């Protein structure tokens, strides 16, 4: 872990434990924890490191900022966990007022949080431009601020967690912080890597927590370790689904729900029920999917998560069952929630592009192909090209136009196969390709080429357990 000695790390971990037990705000001790964390997981930004070093959740930070505004006699701003997440991962920068509020609630300087900028022609660090509550500063994020993970960088995350556990076999604040950072990292990088590769790395990271979970230092620490293991299990369940392993997906997701219940993480339980609804819908078990969707909605912790569960879990089941009125009401409610809730990045978040993807599928199931095509086209425009979400949106458009414009549909599907590596083709996109191949009746060169290529696709995982690549 860089130049930080083992003795110093042990001292820092003890200080962190004392801070958490006593609620102290020792700035020097927190700064030392930040140093260890950033040496351990270089991908974690300074802003996120300070929150993790204090042991705070994003919800606690948002609450603290609101309380700070009230103490100053001001109306609390519209800060959300999604906004904080984007700032922590370098996707946006907070405006001057939010930056100042964060320094006060964290007990840090702008420079320590890396929210300062340098003015042209001088050496003074200045705050971000004053653009109002939560607005972007006038300066672009520094180079390298956005998360970038190479094929080698992905396994390095699990290795950092393993080193932290080796240093503290019974766990500790640093282990919890790194495990939480790893969950955030895997969630944000979910679409960047082939499902099989990411599954392997999340599994390694989760396995590192088995020892500390079996013999934790205290119950509070055990709760946080269960939370991290639960979110990792949720990721593994989603990845197993995308690899075409429905029974494995249910195992991992059920474990995630159990761990979420044990540690009192309603958001984890709600999300997991949504994922279980997804697997049930894929198996055409729509009544079971509705049960999971309702269970998730009962535990949802925010308007955005309610919109996600409606669009991701409840809407598909209702549409597939032909319950048009209920599906329309669910879609309208989800649309309204999403209008005010905003977007949240990462696998556990939700945004308009993903919502439009589910909208298109529901409209197709209800026979409204024109509306499905419009939603799919809008989703394509919001997706990063060649990403799994882009592939799904393009294939939805192909399915919506297959009867009316078979040549165009086949051509677009061939473009997906040309641009997305086989190892990144999720089982959901493969299912769309098979449906499209069966729907196209025209005998054109493009259609014949598509049929041949779809039938030649290797299985996501072959009979020997090897992933397609």
């Amino acid at each position: 872990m860089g130049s930080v000695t083992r003795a110093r790390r042990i001292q820092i971990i003890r200080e962190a434990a004392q801070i958490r037990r006593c609620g102290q705000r020792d700035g020097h001790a927190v700064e030392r924890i930040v140093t260890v964390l950033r040496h351990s997981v270089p991908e974690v930004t300074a802003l996120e490191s300070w929150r993790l070093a204090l042991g705070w959740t994003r919800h606690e930070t948002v609450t603290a900022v609101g309380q700070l505004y009230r103490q100053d006699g001001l109306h609390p701003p519209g800060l959300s966990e999604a906004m904080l997440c984007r700032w922590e991962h370098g996707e946006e920068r907070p405006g001057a007022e939010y930056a100042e509020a964060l320094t006060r609630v964290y007990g840090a300087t702008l420079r320590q949080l890396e929210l300062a900028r340098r003015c042209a022609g001088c050496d003074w660090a200045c705050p971000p431009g004053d653009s109002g509550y939560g607005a972007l500063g006038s300066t672009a994020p520094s180079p390298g601020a956005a998360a970038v993970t190479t094929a080698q960088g992905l396994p390095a995350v699990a290795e950092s967690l393993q080193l932290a556990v080796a240093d503290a076999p019974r766990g500790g604040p640093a282990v919890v912080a790194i495990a939480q950072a790893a969950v955030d990292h895997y969630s944000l990088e979910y679409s960047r890597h082939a499902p099989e590769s990411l599954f392997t790395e999340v599994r390694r990271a989760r396995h590192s927590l088995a020892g500390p979970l079996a013999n934790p230092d205290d119950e509070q620490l055990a709760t946080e370790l269960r939370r991290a293991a639960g979110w990792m299990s949720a990721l593994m369940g989603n990845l197993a689904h995308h690899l075409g392993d429905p029974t494995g997906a249910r195992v991992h997701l059920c474990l995630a729900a159990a761990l979420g219940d044990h540690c009192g993480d309603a958001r984890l339980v709600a999300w997991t029920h949504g994922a279980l609804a997804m697997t049930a819908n894929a198996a055409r078990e729509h009544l079971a999917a509705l049960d999971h969707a309702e269970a998730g909605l009962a535990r949802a912790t925010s308007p955005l998560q309610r919109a996600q569960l409606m669009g991701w879990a409840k809407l598909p089941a209702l549409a597939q069952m032909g319950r048009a009125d209920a599906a329309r009401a669910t879609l309208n409610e989800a649309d309204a929630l999403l209008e005010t809730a905003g977007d949240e990045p990462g696998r556990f978040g939700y945004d308009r592009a993903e919502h439009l993807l589910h909208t298109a599928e529901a409209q197709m199931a209800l026979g409204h192909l024109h509306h499905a095509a419009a939603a799919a086209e809008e989703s394509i425009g919001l997706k990063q090209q060649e990403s799994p979400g882009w592939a799904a949106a393009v294939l939805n458009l192909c399915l919506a136009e297959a009867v009316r414009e078979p040549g165009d549909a086949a051509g677009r599907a061939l473009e997906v196969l040309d641009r997305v590596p086989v190892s990144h083709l999720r089982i959901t996109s493969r299912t769309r390709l098979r449906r499209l191949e069966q729907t196209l009746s025209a005998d054109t060169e493009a259609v014949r080429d598509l049929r041949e290529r779809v039938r030649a696709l290797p299985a996501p995982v072959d009979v020997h357990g090897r992933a397609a690549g």
Side-chain angles (χ1 to χ4, degrees), residues 129-433:
D130 187 356
S131 305
Y133 289 165
L136 292 177
S138 60
T139 307
S142 59
V148 176
T149 301
T150 63
Q152 292 180 335
L154 180 60
V157 175
E159 290 163 6
S160 290
L161 181 56
Q162 289 170 344
L163 287 172
V165 173
D167 186 54
R170 297 181 63 185
V175 172
V176 169
I178 294 169
Q180 291 172 342
V183 169
D184 286 347
H185 182 79
Y186 293 138
S187 170
L188 288 168
E189 298 289 303
Y190 190 94
S191 295
R192 192 183 297 271
H193 300 285
E196 189 269 341
S197 299
L198 188 56
F199 184 93
T200 299
E201 294 308 319
V202 177
R203 180 192 171 202
R204 283 209 303 148
R206 189 185 68 168
H207 183 68
S208 299
L209 300 178
L213 265 173
N215 190 25
D217 262 343
D218 56 57
E219 188 53 37
Q220 181 180 355
L221 182 63
T223 295
E224 295 307 316
L225 290 170
R226 288 189 192 100
R227 191 189 314 278
W231 283 108
M232 290 181 189
S233 298
L235 283 169
M236 289 176 64
N238 209 176
L239 288 161
H241 172 73
H242 285 144
L243 285 167
D245 180 10
T247 53
R250 287 200 299 274
V251 169
H252 303 309
L253 292 171
C254 286
L255 174 59
L259 289 170
D261 268 328
H262 199 165
C263 68
D265 192 331
R267 180 170 178 257
L268 171 57
V269 176
W271 188 92
T272 303
H273 275 293
L276 285 164
M278 172 190 65
T279 61
N281 276 320
R284 300 185 180 278
E285 298 170 354
H286 303 307
L287 287 175
L290 276 179
D291 287 343
H292 282 301
E294 293 298 344
L297 286 165
R299 302 292 293 273
T301 60
S302 69
L304 182 63
Q305 192 171 48
R306 286 190 62 81
Q308 180 182 36
L309 284 158
M310 288 178 178
W312 181 33
K314 187 174 181 178
L315 176 62
L318 292 170
Q320 290 291 339
M321 296 169 70
R323 295 174 57 181
D325 290 344
R328 191 178 304 110
T330 299
L331 179 58
N332 289 340
E333 186 174 354
D335 284 342
L337 287 167
L338 201 59
E339 280 292 321
T340 57
D343 295 346
E344 182 178 337
R347 188 58 198 161
F348 297 125
Y350 197 59
D351 58 23
R352 181 158 180 78
E354 185 179 354
H355 184 63
L356 287 164
L357 186 70
H358 301 308
T359 299
E361 291 174 338
Q363 296 288 16
M364 270 191 286
L366 294 170
H368 304 152
L369 298 185
H370 178 73
H371 294 308
E377 283 186 305
E378 189 176 351
S379 183
I380 291 169
L382 296 172
K383 292 285 189 181
Q384 181 180 350
Q385 291 198 7
E386 301 180 14
S387 68
W390 172 83
V394 171
L395 293 174
N396 274 350
L397 179 58
C398 295
L399 286 164
E401 296 185 337
V403 175
R404 186 163 42 95
E405 299 177 25
D408 287 349
R412 288 194 182 94
L414 287 169
E415 184 183 6
V416 169
L417 290 173
D418 286 339
R419 297 177 65 180
V420 179
V422 171
S423 60
H424 285 64
L425 272 179
R426 298 172 178 171
I427 192 67
T428 45
S429 286
R430 291 165 178 268
T431 300
R432 292 184 182 98
L433 281 165

